[in-house]
Amino acid sequence: MGREQWKKIWVGSAGNMVEWFDWFVYASFAVYFADSFFPKGNDTANLMNTMGIFAVGFFMRPVGGWVLGRVGDRKGRKAALTLTVTLMSASAILIAVAPTYAVAGYGGVAVLLVARMLQGLSVGGEYAASATYLTEASAPGRRGFASSFQYVSMTAGQLLGLGLQILLQRTMSEDALHSWAWRIPFIIGALGAAVVFYLRRNMLETEVYAQDDDAHSDPARGTIKALWAHKREAFLVIALTMGGTVAYYTYTTYLTKYLSGSAGMDKPTASLVSFCALFVFMCIQPLAGKLSDRIGRRPLLITFAVGSTFLTVPIMTLLKHAGSFWPALGLSLLALLVVTGYTSINACVKAELFPTGIRALGVALPYAIANALFGGTAEYVALWFKKGGIESGYYWYVAGCAAVSLIVYVTMRETKTIDLNRVKPGEGAPLSAQPARSSLSGGTSQR
């Protein structure tokens, strides 16, 4: 792969790294800045209020998917990617400079709320914008490999956030973290977003978009009406995302809490398990993406769904009784290896389902809806089952979501052979698993 291709991959996915760094540090540093924005006295209530503001970001993601998906289809992939990183930088700066309750009363809360709304908008659009860009900017036989870097960058952002947290905890006093040092990660996030903004200002538009004859003349581009013409593909994105996003959040963001809260593991060991597992998970994404370019997307998706359907319950049960680092790490790696069948290629699969004029919105809005409904609520559902005394019910919930996605994977058509330049409005990518004429052969794509 040439230098130019690597540059496209880096520029297309770098925003994800900054995005997920910001997303992670808000959740993890909330314990330090919660008291800064609310009256003193009830630490638990203050933390709950702060995390309530965090939840607002999930509700804004579908809105961001709609707004920025529309921009991506009407103004271009470059315009959408530049706008998402601008919103990222603005949200990080607002949090970094937000006044405390002692200075501005509830004015600081208002700033925090606006910042989280901007961050939710940005996250909702970044996924689709980068997924579309990476897929369109890649050679047909490299789309799986290139788009796999989306989850490489997302995981790298989480690891950088976790690493910074560990560093600050070891070098700063508890008082410093509570009073001012919690602002450091948000300043770093804003600087990172500024760097990505500079890179994206100089990026080239994808040839697929630039060569689209209707790019500037079709008034229906990027509209809900145009998306409704591809409603089957949109519902397909929701269904194929359902199992993957629940499993992803279970074994990434929820894993540390599960190991420390349910498995009885001390927090430093639980954090180390998560860090090591996520690092290996990040490294194997391109390998799986490259494999999909050879054997197709469906085999990997089906492997993920079968594995999650039948292995989730035993893996989660064994993790609860793992007791020490190595058994927990081995089980976590097994789970994330299974999830890789989804994460490594889901970006390109979704992009391959839609024609150019509705591709960004077609990926953005259905994905954001599915992520808000299933991924964003995964941790809350897990804790709800635990509070009700039936924690194992959550294991079956994850398995059930994977089973629904399995039905979709088995019945959908292979997408790796789709020619992105030849999928026209009104046609869409084929959904049937039965043989049909490919758009590569010049025939009309069949549903």
PDB file of all heavy atoms in Angstrom, residues 87-108:
ATOM      1  N   LEU A  87     -16.527  20.644  15.747  1.00  0.00           N
ATOM      2  CA  LEU A  87     -17.409  20.452  16.902  1.00  0.00           C
ATOM      3  C   LEU A  87     -16.678  19.768  18.049  1.00  0.00           C
ATOM      4  O   LEU A  87     -16.892  20.095  19.224  1.00  0.00           O
ATOM      5  CB  LEU A  87     -18.625  19.623  16.491  1.00  0.00           C
ATOM      6  CG  LEU A  87     -19.596  20.286  15.508  1.00  0.00           C
ATOM      7  CD1 LEU A  87     -20.664  19.285  15.057  1.00  0.00           C
ATOM      8  CD2 LEU A  87     -20.251  21.501  16.142  1.00  0.00           C
ATOM      9  N   MET A  88     -15.808  18.810  17.717  1.00  0.00           N
ATOM     10  CA  MET A  88     -15.000  18.133  18.731  1.00  0.00           C
ATOM     11  C   MET A  88     -14.168  19.121  19.515  1.00  0.00           C
ATOM     12  O   MET A  88     -14.143  19.126  20.752  1.00  0.00           O
ATOM     13  CB  MET A  88     -13.998  17.177  18.043  1.00  0.00           C
ATOM     14  CG  MET A  88     -14.436  15.809  17.742  1.00  0.00           C
ATOM     15  SD  MET A  88     -12.996  14.983  17.029  1.00  0.00           S
ATOM     16  CE  MET A  88     -13.726  14.324  15.551  1.00  0.00           C
ATOM     17  N   SER A  89     -13.436  19.957  18.772  1.00  0.00           N
ATOM     18  CA  SER A  89     -12.549  20.920  19.415  1.00  0.00           C
ATOM     19  C   SER A  89     -13.330  21.894  20.288  1.00  0.00           C
ATOM     20  O   SER A  89     -12.933  22.195  21.422  1.00  0.00           O
ATOM     21  CB  SER A  89     -11.770  21.688  18.338  1.00  0.00           C
ATOM     22  OG  SER A  89     -10.857  22.581  18.923  1.00  0.00           O
ATOM     23  N   ALA A  90     -14.469  22.363  19.781  1.00  0.00           N
ATOM     24  CA  ALA A  90     -15.284  23.313  20.539  1.00  0.00           C
ATOM     25  C   ALA A  90     -15.785  22.703  21.847  1.00  0.00           C
ATOM     26  O   ALA A  90     -15.761  23.362  22.899  1.00  0.00           O
ATOM     27  CB  ALA A  90     -16.464  23.785  19.688  1.00  0.00           C
ATOM     28  N   SER A  91     -16.229  21.448  21.795  1.00  0.00           N
ATOM     29  CA  SER A  91     -16.750  20.802  22.999  1.00  0.00           C
ATOM     30  C   SER A  91     -15.658  20.608  24.041  1.00  0.00           C
ATOM     31  O   SER A  91     -15.876  20.836  25.237  1.00  0.00           O
ATOM     32  CB  SER A  91     -17.396  19.456  22.650  1.00  0.00           C
ATOM     33  OG  SER A  91     -16.444  18.537  22.155  1.00  0.00           O
ATOM     34  N   ALA A  92     -14.464  20.207  23.601  1.00  0.00           N
ATOM     35  CA  ALA A  92     -13.357  20.003  24.546  1.00  0.00           C
ATOM     36  C   ALA A  92     -12.929  21.319  25.191  1.00  0.00           C
ATOM     37  O   ALA A  92     -12.660  21.373  26.393  1.00  0.00           O
ATOM     38  CB  ALA A  92     -12.177  19.347  23.826  1.00  0.00           C
ATOM     39  N   ILE A  93     -12.869  22.383  24.394  1.00  0.00           N
ATOM     40  CA  ILE A  93     -12.480  23.693  24.932  1.00  0.00           C
ATOM     41  C   ILE A  93     -13.494  24.181  25.969  1.00  0.00           C
ATOM     42  O   ILE A  93     -13.134  24.694  27.032  1.00  0.00           O
ATOM     43  CB  ILE A  93     -12.352  24.719  23.793  1.00  0.00           C
ATOM     44  CG1 ILE A  93     -11.134  24.392  22.921  1.00  0.00           C
ATOM     45  CG2 ILE A  93     -12.236  26.132  24.344  1.00  0.00           C
ATOM     46  CD1 ILE A  93     -11.031  25.237  21.672  1.00  0.00           C
ATOM     47  N   LEU A  94     -14.789  24.007  25.666  1.00  0.00           N
ATOM     48  CA  LEU A  94     -15.828  24.444  26.593  1.00  0.00           C
ATOM     49  C   LEU A  94     -15.716  23.744  27.943  1.00  0.00           C
ATOM     50  O   LEU A  94     -15.851  24.372  28.995  1.00  0.00           O
ATOM     51  CB  LEU A  94     -17.210  24.192  25.984  1.00  0.00           C
ATOM     52  CG  LEU A  94     -17.671  25.181  24.910  1.00  0.00           C
ATOM     53  CD1 LEU A  94     -19.001  24.729  24.307  1.00  0.00           C
ATOM     54  CD2 LEU A  94     -17.807  26.586  25.497  1.00  0.00           C
ATOM     55  N   ILE A  95     -15.476  22.422  27.911  1.00  0.00           N
ATOM     56  CA  ILE A  95     -15.337  21.688  29.177  1.00  0.00           C
ATOM     57  C   ILE A  95     -14.087  22.145  29.916  1.00  0.00           C
ATOM     58  O   ILE A  95     -14.087  22.315  31.143  1.00  0.00           O
ATOM     59  CB  ILE A  95     -15.303  20.165  28.918  1.00  0.00           C
ATOM     60  CG1 ILE A  95     -16.618  19.703  28.301  1.00  0.00           C
ATOM     61  CG2 ILE A  95     -15.055  19.413  30.235  1.00  0.00           C
ATOM     62  CD1 ILE A  95     -16.618  18.236  27.886  1.00  0.00           C
ATOM     63  N   ALA A  96     -13.001  22.345  29.173  1.00  0.00           N
ATOM     64  CA  ALA A  96     -11.726  22.738  29.793  1.00  0.00           C
ATOM     65  C   ALA A  96     -11.821  24.084  30.506  1.00  0.00           C
ATOM     66  O   ALA A  96     -11.159  24.300  31.524  1.00  0.00           O
ATOM     67  CB  ALA A  96     -10.623  22.777  28.741  1.00  0.00           C
ATOM     68  N   VAL A  97     -12.651  25.002  29.983  1.00  0.00           N
ATOM     69  CA  VAL A  97     -12.723  26.350  30.573  1.00  0.00           C
ATOM     70  C   VAL A  97     -14.026  26.598  31.329  1.00  0.00           C
ATOM     71  O   VAL A  97     -14.272  27.710  31.803  1.00  0.00           O
ATOM     72  CB  VAL A  97     -12.561  27.437  29.481  1.00  0.00           C
ATOM     73  CG1 VAL A  97     -11.239  27.268  28.744  1.00  0.00           C
ATOM     74  CG2 VAL A  97     -13.729  27.417  28.496  1.00  0.00           C
ATOM     75  N   ALA A  98     -14.873  25.587  31.468  1.00  0.00           N
ATOM     76  CA  ALA A  98     -16.166  25.765  32.135  1.00  0.00           C
ATOM     77  C   ALA A  98     -15.983  26.284  33.561  1.00  0.00           C
ATOM     78  O   ALA A  98     -15.184  25.741  34.329  1.00  0.00           O
ATOM     79  CB  ALA A  98     -16.918  24.441  32.158  1.00  0.00           C
ATOM     80  N   PRO A  99     -16.712  27.329  33.940  1.00  0.00           N
ATOM     81  CA  PRO A  99     -16.588  27.875  35.302  1.00  0.00           C
ATOM     82  C   PRO A  99     -17.209  26.946  36.335  1.00  0.00           C
ATOM     83  O   PRO A  99     -18.183  26.248  36.046  1.00  0.00           O
ATOM     84  CB  PRO A  99     -17.361  29.191  35.209  1.00  0.00           C
ATOM     85  CG  PRO A  99     -18.367  28.971  34.117  1.00  0.00           C
ATOM     86  CD  PRO A  99     -17.678  28.083  33.121  1.00  0.00           C
ATOM     87  N   THR A 100     -16.664  26.926  37.508  1.00  0.00           N
ATOM     88  CA  THR A 100     -17.173  26.069  38.567  1.00  0.00           C
ATOM     89  C   THR A 100     -18.424  26.688  39.206  1.00  0.00           C
ATOM     90  O   THR A 100     -18.762  27.844  38.954  1.00  0.00           O
ATOM     91  CB  THR A 100     -16.101  25.862  39.650  1.00  0.00           C
ATOM     92  OG1 THR A 100     -15.812  27.145  40.247  1.00  0.00           O
ATOM     93  CG2 THR A 100     -14.840  25.275  39.054  1.00  0.00           C
ATOM     94  N   TYR A 101     -19.068  25.912  40.062  1.00  0.00           N
ATOM     95  CA  TYR A 101     -20.267  26.386  40.762  1.00  0.00           C
ATOM     96  C   TYR A 101     -19.926  27.574  41.664  1.00  0.00           C
ATOM     97  O   TYR A 101     -20.708  28.519  41.788  1.00  0.00           O
ATOM     98  CB  TYR A 101     -20.850  25.245  41.594  1.00  0.00           C
ATOM     99  CG  TYR A 101     -22.110  25.635  42.344  1.00  0.00           C
ATOM    100  CD1 TYR A 101     -23.352  25.615  41.712  1.00  0.00           C
ATOM    101  CD2 TYR A 101     -22.047  26.021  43.681  1.00  0.00           C
ATOM    102  CE1 TYR A 101     -24.501  25.989  42.387  1.00  0.00           C
ATOM    103  CE2 TYR A 101     -23.193  26.387  44.377  1.00  0.00           C
ATOM    104  CZ  TYR A 101     -24.425  26.367  43.719  1.00  0.00           C
ATOM    105  OH  TYR A 101     -25.566  26.739  44.395  1.00  0.00           O
ATOM    106  N   ALA A 102     -18.734  27.546  42.248  1.00  0.00           N
ATOM    107  CA  ALA A 102     -18.323  28.632  43.141  1.00  0.00           C
ATOM    108  C   ALA A 102     -18.162  29.954  42.385  1.00  0.00           C
ATOM    109  O   ALA A 102     -18.334  31.035  42.954  1.00  0.00           O
ATOM    110  CB  ALA A 102     -17.003  28.267  43.826  1.00  0.00           C
ATOM    111  N   VAL A 103     -17.857  29.882  41.090  1.00  0.00           N
ATOM    112  CA  VAL A 103     -17.625  31.087  40.278  1.00  0.00           C
ATOM    113  C   VAL A 103     -18.895  31.568  39.592  1.00  0.00           C
ATOM    114  O   VAL A 103     -19.213  32.765  39.596  1.00  0.00           O
ATOM    115  CB  VAL A 103     -16.536  30.817  39.219  1.00  0.00           C
ATOM    116  CG1 VAL A 103     -16.405  31.992  38.263  1.00  0.00           C
ATOM    117  CG2 VAL A 103     -15.203  30.519  39.889  1.00  0.00           C
ATOM    118  N   ALA A 104     -19.653  30.649  39.019  1.00  0.00           N
ATOM    119  CA  ALA A 104     -20.799  31.049  38.185  1.00  0.00           C
ATOM    120  C   ALA A 104     -22.096  30.339  38.534  1.00  0.00           C
ATOM    121  O   ALA A 104     -23.048  30.377  37.752  1.00  0.00           O
ATOM    122  CB  ALA A 104     -20.463  30.817  36.715  1.00  0.00           C
ATOM    123  N   GLY A 105     -22.146  29.689  39.683  1.00  0.00           N
ATOM    124  CA  GLY A 105     -23.365  28.966  40.033  1.00  0.00           C
ATOM    125  C   GLY A 105     -23.639  27.868  39.020  1.00  0.00           C
ATOM    126  O   GLY A 105     -22.728  27.140  38.609  1.00  0.00           O
ATOM    127  N   TYR A 106     -24.912  27.763  38.603  1.00  0.00           N
ATOM    128  CA  TYR A 106     -25.275  26.727  37.642  1.00  0.00           C
ATOM    129  C   TYR A 106     -24.907  27.105  36.202  1.00  0.00           C
ATOM    130  O   TYR A 106     -25.201  26.362  35.265  1.00  0.00           O
ATOM    131  CB  TYR A 106     -26.768  26.426  37.737  1.00  0.00           C
ATOM    132  CG  TYR A 106     -27.125  25.611  38.961  1.00  0.00           C
ATOM    133  CD1 TYR A 106     -27.803  26.185  40.023  1.00  0.00           C
ATOM    134  CD2 TYR A 106     -26.759  24.275  39.046  1.00  0.00           C
ATOM    135  CE1 TYR A 106     -28.126  25.451  41.164  1.00  0.00           C
ATOM    136  CE2 TYR A 106     -27.070  23.523  40.177  1.00  0.00           C
ATOM    137  CZ  TYR A 106     -27.753  24.117  41.229  1.00  0.00           C
ATOM    138  OH  TYR A 106     -28.060  23.368  42.347  1.00  0.00           O
ATOM    139  N   GLY A 107     -24.250  28.237  36.026  1.00  0.00           N
ATOM    140  CA  GLY A 107     -23.772  28.613  34.701  1.00  0.00           C
ATOM    141  C   GLY A 107     -22.766  27.620  34.166  1.00  0.00           C
ATOM    142  O   GLY A 107     -22.716  27.343  32.962  1.00  0.00           O
ATOM    143  N   GLY A 108     -21.950  27.059  35.059  1.00  0.00           N
ATOM    144  CA  GLY A 108     -20.984  26.044  34.655  1.00  0.00           C
ATOM    145  C   GLY A 108     -21.664  24.795  34.139  1.00  0.00           C
ATOM    146  O   GLY A 108     -21.195  24.158  33.186  1.00  0.00           O
TER     147      GLY A 108
END
